[in-house]
Amino acid sequence: MSKNNTAAVERLEQIKQQLNLSPSPMSLQAPKDMEKERSSASFNIDVLSHFWMGGKDKFDRRKLAFDFIEKDPELVVQSPRNILEFGREEMREYTMGQINRVVRLGREIKDKEFLEDISRAVILYSESFALRIGVHEALFRNVVQMLGNKQQQQDWVENVDQFRIIGCFAMTELGHSSALRDIETTATFDVETDEFIINSPNITSTKWWIGMAGQTATHTVVIAQTIIHGKNVGLNWFIVQLRDTVTGKVVPGVQAGDVGAKVGHQGVDNGWIQFHCKRIPRTNMLSKWVTMDRSGDFQPAPNPAVMYATLIPERFSLVTITLTLVTQALTIATRYGVVRRQGSKNQQIMDYQSHYVKLLPAISFMYMVQNSFKTLDDQFAILTAGGEMDPLVYLNHMGDMHSISASLKGLSGAYATEILEICRRSCGGHAYSAYNALGNLISDFGVMTTGGGDNVVLLQQAASYLLHCFNQKLEFDDYPELKYQSATHYIVRAKELLKVKTWPVNVIADATKDFALIEEALHAILVKRLNSIRQSLSEGASHNDLLLESVRVAELHCAAFLFSVNARQFSSLTGSDLDPSVQRIMRQMTALWGLHILRVYGDQGYMEGFLSPKQMKDIEKEYLAQLCKSMRYEVIGLTDGFGLPDFILKAPIAKHDGDIYQAYFETLLQAPASTGVASYHAKLIKPLTEKFENK
Amino acid sequence: MSKNNTAAVERLEQIKQQLNLSPSPMSLQAPKDMEKERSSASFNIDVLSHFWMGGKDKFDRRKLAFDFIEKDPELVVQSPRNILEFGREEMREYTMGQINRVVRLGREIKDKEFLEDISRAVILYSESFALRIGVHEALFRNVVQMLGNKQQQQDWVENVDQFRIIGCFAMTELGHSSALRDIETTATFDVETDEFIINSPNITSTKWWIGMAGQTATHTVVIAQTIIHGKNVGLNWFIVQLRDTVTGKVVPGVQAGDVGAKVGHQGVDNGWIQFHCKRIPRTNMLSKWVTMDRSGDFQPAPNPAVMYATLIPERFSLVTITLTLVTQALTIATRYGVVRRQGSKNQQIMDYQSHYVKLLPAISFMYMVQNSFKTLDDQFAILTAGGEMDPLVYLNHMGDMHSISASLKGLSGAYATEILEICRRSCGGHAYSAYNALGNLISDFGVMTTGGGDNVVLLQQAASYLLHCFNQKLEFDDYPELKYQSATHYIVRAKELLKVKTWPVNVIADATKDFALIEEALHAILVKRLNSIRQSLSEGASHNDLLLESVRVAELHCAAFLFSVNARQFSSLTGSDLDPSVQRIMRQMTALWGLHILRVYGDQGYMEGFLSPKQMKDIEKEYLAQLCKSMRYEVIGLTDGFGLPDFILKAPIAKHDGDIYQAYFETLLQAPASTGVASYHAKLIKPLTEKFENK
């Protein structure tokens, strides 16, 4: 323990001696409640947590990695210091320190898999670390890997992997976010010197929000309008050096700086960059899909869409981040919910319908998405074919892949925002303490709804694809030939589904037993909504007039896809390799998710006359009074299943053992200047109050 | 300008010289777009802003106050310092400095009304100031005023008004938030010494979250279980000294400290307090409603509810804070929305349906609430009768008043959260910059949904009251006699409304012209929903099983109340003293609000078979393609109407003149360490990157 830490511990002990920290009936009850809740799960929690992680082997490895980082002061802040106290400067430095440590470990640890596990564990601990290392390892590296030719990969990738250069991703500009078409940065070919001249022609062309550009990156990939012999040949990616790799100073022709205070991600040095006629070799234009020779003869990519292909894996990785943050918030809210008691019968607050009915579908959503990744990964693997992709296969599938990734990012982003707010409110006032981590999770998450593709735009694009498929089917009986079963597959049955006038279910409980009934309803509602939109368009409505309706259809489409993937696996209780208790709880969550969608998107069904008032009322009743209620005592088991240790969660009110009150109080006492006379007392308070005459 | 400021300005100029800040077509277009939008409002913006403020006189006075504070460095942070950069310590001190300044101004400025205006202007500028001064002037003072006897008022109120003491409000405890029944702090009467002994018996009894208790308050009012001659006679309020008024140290028998890092309100020193058998004179028990003589003969209040009477005005003041924060967010989002262009036709982003359809009802909601305050104030004035309240009148109305204040706090809190998120997303990535103020507004607002009465609990209580009135009416044909027309008045017609099976409207546009049709629909849906809940209860469902349904009914009830109040005033275009253009736009907003409710709570009508699928579809169409669309070009006028100057908004992307890009860039450049080599470069970056061999 460092000298500072010893002093802090001593200070804490001194303060504690002056306080009454004796237990109360309430504080003594909390751990008992937690134990009881944990034992009331109907399933084997350990097995569920292995399932969540994708196998016991992976779970055990993650556990080893957690144990390793927990004690490492360069990777995890050691008590009594608290990472949730860190200001911008401290957090920027600490996060770079984590990266530095991981790189050094890479030279010490021979087991590359373990090293990868360590990095993933730190990602769970700090979203700033996740984003910052992600900019280098995913965004920068992927662009070089996916858009660079063999020579370029050879020149750069090893330097990236060894962190001899630190890369960033210069796409967005002050005036232009995801609308790449209008990017203003230019790359002009100078045939005389065989160079490109990268330039920021005006204020709005300044590259903006670029992660790691603020203080760290030595290099960047830049997307720019490419001008060759006076003609704009479109957007291309270029590798440009930003900073001297020894001095850290910006190189001539480059200006860059830090964006300063952000809402979250204090550990990430987002920055801005200006290029002032910065010259780079022609060979720095990434040239897997495009080519240009010495004379400036430019061959464009077969499809400009490939230039943004990296955005698809980015979008999936945003969904992974969403799960990381939201599972933490859900664990915190759920644990607090079972140990906190309040109300006329001093009941656990989790007993209130408003509590468990909001948390349970959210928890189920996490499992639905997590369990869909395998399907999506398999699909994406067909596209990339281990880096050896067939351009034709790739292009044929890009629309479909874009559609599902866009709608998943959109739906999960929108629902995650809601869930985080639910979690925050579930913890009452104590969520307002920064030490209970929810504020930090929410701040860090915030950018996910607009970054990496604005949610509305993405959902609109997904809806356009759906509408396109629907029109093709209706008009030409055509449906794209794909190498996997697409999320849009139900459109094949569009005509048949349109004929189904109402949902032929009298007892809602039947549908939670026979998932095909729910799936059929969702698909019928989807084609009916698509048909209504098609009709409005034919009656002269503009796409913009139907924007919000389209967005909602795209959300429902994705929600239904998640249901279908899980329903396939969990429609029956038998015939699976899974532990029967886990199979059963996954089945219950799938049923809950199905009914949740029908309830939330019920308006889509009743506007089409497909769901009747009675069915809506019965769905509400079955959902609230049966499904959710029957799962009330599963909440701790289900969130334990996420496998998140206390040091990852950071929130004293969410301690695994339920013994929360003293831990929470002590966390507060450790805050700098938590006790004693305020530094500004003599200047600002005393002059007022010293006039008081005590009687 | 101070020396520091001069240096900062010079540094800024140096950086700027190295940058290309030349205008672009986009940056030049922005102010033109703003001007065009402003001139396209169909109404007189000035008159609307007077109306918003409650008259031209009030508007002019507010303007004078703004002008006064804008240049005062103790009240408003002067550029290039930026209040949105302030950390906890700096913000705690600055906020106390504002209070100190206001107190000093109180001695200089003879015009008390102007002084009040100044304070209100600073409240708009800083929510931390608002909360901190509110704890003293509203919470502490109100408790003494409303619950203290004449002598106690005489002893304390003048000291409060002169800030010779600084008061706080010790209600919530670590283990107990709004559920006062279970409060653990005790006040035990010692008949021998004629004193009360205030004590915190254990850890969970620690007073928690107490504003101003962290560093500032010299005194507090404490709510505690009152033990007299060994018997608990219930909760009472006591005045207790916390800190020495000269040294600022906690007095013997008291321990108090700061809660440290919070999600928002960095300027408020929320704290915890423990009492260790702290003795206070018997006369410090507030005794307007209760009395106790020297011997310990205790007479309780006629109704224990009076002890929480202060919570009703507190709740209204939370709604005021909500308007303060949300109007700022809406102004920021709207202004940015009209100057930002993006998309295939490089259109203003406000042109997207997803933009204006989300902002317009939110803007209208602000006007609906603001314009309802007069009605609510009038009603509350009947209760308090200028401090000389008739206890019987007061008690007769408390249930009703509690119900409307609770549902208004609940509804506005829930919708405000949504609106803030809408505003955040409307600004895309640039909302993620702390300098654009939205993050700060959202953080500060956060606590409003759980503080001052948890939203779910309040809405549930409001619903219980509705159900009670409904049952009384149905069973005994009884309806409470009140001195004003209550929000529940429609229940008088319950039986008649239950008989209306469907909404007799074929053309939705008719309803936006005849507000009675909307009002009738809302009231019919409400009684039908109450009836369904009543029926479920009679069939054996528990109140908890119907919790979420009840909450939704309470929300709809309040939304309908807001519609009714405004519909009364704006149902016709003539016969009003208002400027006709303002009358017309208020009428349009009322229509929009009415249809908005029918759309959002349409499920409530549909489940009851009252609204048909066709009506639901038509409502959607009329709302989206007619009402909202027709008001698209009013957005700048409507948000200008809130009358918020740039220095209050703080966000460069929301500048009144629309010239946003350079202001935004310069704000970033002013951040400490925005350019240059990172302080941790040599330690953490160089060791990695110096190994790069440049080719």
Side-chain angles (χ1 to χ4, degrees), chain B residues 480-507:
Chain B
E481 264 188 51
L482 298 171
K483 284 182 173 280
Y484 50 74
Q485 181 168 327
S486 157
T488 65
H489 194 73
Y490 60 89
I491 290 177
V492 173
R493 295 176 53 225
K495 289 177 191 174
E496 177 194 341
L497 288 165
L498 282 176
K499 283 182 198 140
V500 186
K501 291 295 167 218
T502 56
W503 195 33
V505 169
N506 290 320
V507 180

Side-chain angles (χ1 to χ4, degrees), chain B residues 85-118:
Chain B
E85 276 283 0
F86 283 16
R88 177 160 93 231
E89 218 173 318
E90 198 171 9
M91 192 65 185
R92 293 268 206 279
E93 174 168 349
Y94 189 78
T95 307
M96 185 61 217
Q98 289 171 313
I99 294 176
N100 180 293
R101 175 71 176 148
V102 166
V103 176
R104 280 185 287 130
L105 284 173
R107 293 173 193 152
E108 291 167 24
I109 298 176
K110 296 294 158 233
D111 179 350
K112 291 305 156 204
E113 216 173 26
F114 185 51
L115 198 68
E116 182 69 16
D117 291 335
I118 287 173

Side-chain angles (χ1 to χ4, degrees), chain A residues 20 24 100 204 215 245 258 261 265 274 342 351 353 424 432 434 449 544-545 548 606 611 674 680 684 689, chain B residues 20 24 100 177 204 215 245 258 261 263 265 274 351 353 424 432 434 449 544-545 548 606 674 680 684 689:
Chain A
N20 180 359
S24 64
N100 181 292
T204 50
Q215 305 182 312
T245 50
D258 195 289
H265 290 114
Q274 282 200 342
Q342 200 93 283
D351 288 340
Q353 187 187 52
R424 193 182 70 71
Y432 210 53
T449 51
N544 192 37
D545 285 341
L548 286 173
Y606 64 68
L611 296 174
S674 66
Y680 53 82
L684 298 173
T689 60
Chain B
N20 179 358
S24 64
N100 180 293
S177 49
T204 50
Q215 305 182 312
T245 50
D258 195 288
V263 174
H265 290 116
Q274 282 200 342
D351 288 339
Q353 187 188 51
R424 193 181 69 71
Y432 210 54
T449 50
N544 192 38
D545 285 340
L548 286 173
Y606 183 76
S674 66
Y680 53 81
L684 299 173
T689 59

Side-chain angles (χ1 to χ4, degrees), chain A residues 490 493 497-498 500-505 508 511 514-529 556 560 563-564 594-595 597-599 601-602 604-606 608 610-611 615 619:
Chain A
Y490 60 89
R493 294 175 54 225
L497 288 165
L498 281 176
V500 185
K501 291 294 167 219
T502 55
W503 196 32
V505 169
I508 302 296
D514 181 359
F515 291 169
L517 293 170
I518 294 179
E519 202 171 14
E520 191 75 357
L522 296 172
H523 291 162
I525 294 170
L526 278 163
V527 298
K528 284 166 191 293
R529 291 303 295 145
L556 176 57
F563 177 76
S564 294
L595 222 56
I597 311 174
L598 277 180
R599 181 174 179 248
Y601 295 91
Q604 303 291 294
Y606 64 68
E608 298 297 338
F610 180 77
L611 296 174
Q615 282 172 329
I619 287 171

Side-chain angles (χ1 to χ4, degrees), chain B residues 181-202:
Chain B
R181 208 185 335 244
D182 301 322
I183 286 281
E184 294 181 281
T185 302
T186 55
T188 308
F189 182 56
D190 180 347
V191 70
E192 285 190 23
T193 61
D194 199 21
E195 289 171 321
F196 276 104
I197 304 164
I198 310 290
N199 195 43
S200 309
N202 55 45

Side-chain angles (χ1 to χ4, degrees), chain A residues 103-122:
Chain A
V103 176
R104 280 185 288 129
L105 284 173
R107 293 172 193 153
E108 291 168 23
I109 297 176
K110 296 294 157 233
D111 179 351
K112 291 304 157 207
E113 215 173 26
F114 184 52
L115 197 69
E116 182 68 17
D117 291 336
I118 287 173
S119 190
R120 286 191 189 183
V122 182

